[in-house]
Structures are given as C-alpha cells and as structure tokens.
Amino acid sequence: MTVTPASFIKGAASLAAGMGVTIKSFFQPVVTSQYPREVLEITPRFRGHIKLLASPENPLENMCIACGICVRNCPSGSIKKVDGEKREGEKRKRATVYMLDFTTCSQCGICVESCPSKALGFSGDFNIAGFKRADFYFDLVKEFDKRKKAS
Ligand code: SF4
Ligand code: SF4
C-alpha cells in the first residue's frame, strides 16, 4: 500500500480527531465508580431480596408472626417455609424460620404488600453471588439476626 500525501493528511486528521475526543474526556466529570473499592449508595427504591423488618418497639425482634399469608400469595412459590413459636407472655407467634428461594423470586412485592404485620421489605443487597443454587436459598430469620448483630 502506498502512502500518498492525501491519505497521510486524512489519517493524521482522523488521529487528531480521536485524540481530541480522548483528551476532552479527561476534563469531564467522572461517571463510573471503582467497584468494589468504591461502593455507591443504593437508592431506597432498589429491590434486592426480601428481608424481615425490625419491630419499632424492639429492634432486635423481627415483626413476622408466621401467619403464612405471604407463602400462599407468592405467585412464584419462592417462600418455601415459614414457621414460628409463641413465647411465654406473648400474644402472637414469632418467626423462627423463613426460607426464601431467591432463584425464583421476581421481586414483584406481593408478599411485602400483603403482609398484615408489615414485616417485609426489600434489602439493598445488590451484589450477592454464589456458585450453586443453594447459595440463593436462605433463611431470612438468620439473615435478620446476622444483620442485627452487625449493626
Ligand atoms: S412475613 Fe408477614 S405475611 Fe409472611 S408469614 Fe410473616 S407476618 Fe405473615
Ligand atoms: S417478591 Fe414476589 S416472587 Fe418474591 S417472594 Fe415476594 S411474592 Fe414471591
């Protein structure tokens, strides 16, 4: 291929245009983050997996009364088991087990809306990862207790 003066000028102009775009971007505001070193604040409307919410009277207790309404209402059958026990002196049961299969959950929110105790919300957990299906099958009571211990 022979380089003519015209093709050389065209190539140099194209290179200068490309460099112009690159140099201009050095002076633009940064729009990306250095994840995972820098973690952005998640918007409150983000829907991660469902989580049990704490009682306003006792933040160490979750508000689930193990009524089973969410189990019956979940269109995906993702809430596999909810169980609870009635402690001495308490009028209602407290959840002791709440098994969620997050692999089938569509984050539709029906369980959150239909819970009579307002015991459910969405977590801001956006980066859960695992190698096997079982990693996304978890007990929300244990997850709640872990969160409370960490806070
Ligand atoms: S989360 Fe709500 S609807 Fe589901 S079992 Fe608990 S109290 Fe009932
Ligand atoms: S968000 Fe929807 S799919 Fe997920 S557990 Fe609740 S009702 Fe089921």
Side-chain angles (χ1 to χ4, degrees):
M1 194 180 111
T2 48
V3 179
T4 62
S7 69
F8 178 80
I9 291 167
K10 201 174 161 195
S14 165
L15 180 67
M19 290 303 287
V21 171
T22 307
I23 291 165
K24 201 172 146 198
S25 74
F26 288 155
F27 302 99
Q28 305 278 324
V30 176
V31 291
T32 53
S33 67
Q34 297 295 313
Y35 181 83
R37 274 169 285 154
E38 186 193 339
V39 180
L40 295 181
E41 200 176 309
I42 297 300
T43 162
R45 293 182 65 161
F46 176 78
R47 290 186 174 190
H49 64 76
I50 54 166
K51 67 173 183 180
L52 291 173
L53 299 177
S55 157
E57 291 90 45
N58 181 1
L60 296 175
E61 296 279 8
N62 71 69
M63 289 198 288
C64 177
I65 55 172
C67 66
I69 289 175
C70 55
V71 181
R72 292 193 288 280
N73 284 349
C74 175
S76 310
S78 303
I79 306 166
K80 297 296 183 193
K81 184 181 175 186
V82 179
D83 213 344
E85 62 180 22
K86 208 168 173 181
R87 296 192 203 136
E88 223 178 286
E90 288 194 347
K91 285 187 192 151
R92 290 178 164 183
K93 276 186 182 176
R94 287 261 176 216
T96 49
V97 176
Y98 194 114
M99 297 308 299
L100 171 73
D101 182 357
F102 192 46
T103 61
T104 55
C105 172
S106 60
Q107 287 131 306
C108 66
I110 290 174
C111 55
V112 176
E113 282 162 32
S114 64
C115 173
S117 287
K118 306 272 176 254
L120 293 172
F122 287 103
S123 75
D125 218 351
F126 66 91
N127 58 358
I128 57 170
F131 292 103
K132 48 193 189 303
R133 200 184 167 114
D135 293 336
F136 302 94
Y137 184 67
F138 43 81
D139 185 348
L140 293 189
V141 174
K142 284 191 183 147
E143 190 266 345
F144 175 88
D145 292 340
K146 217 161 101 185
R147 239 181 317 124
K148 286 296 123 195
K149 265 186 204 154
S151 65

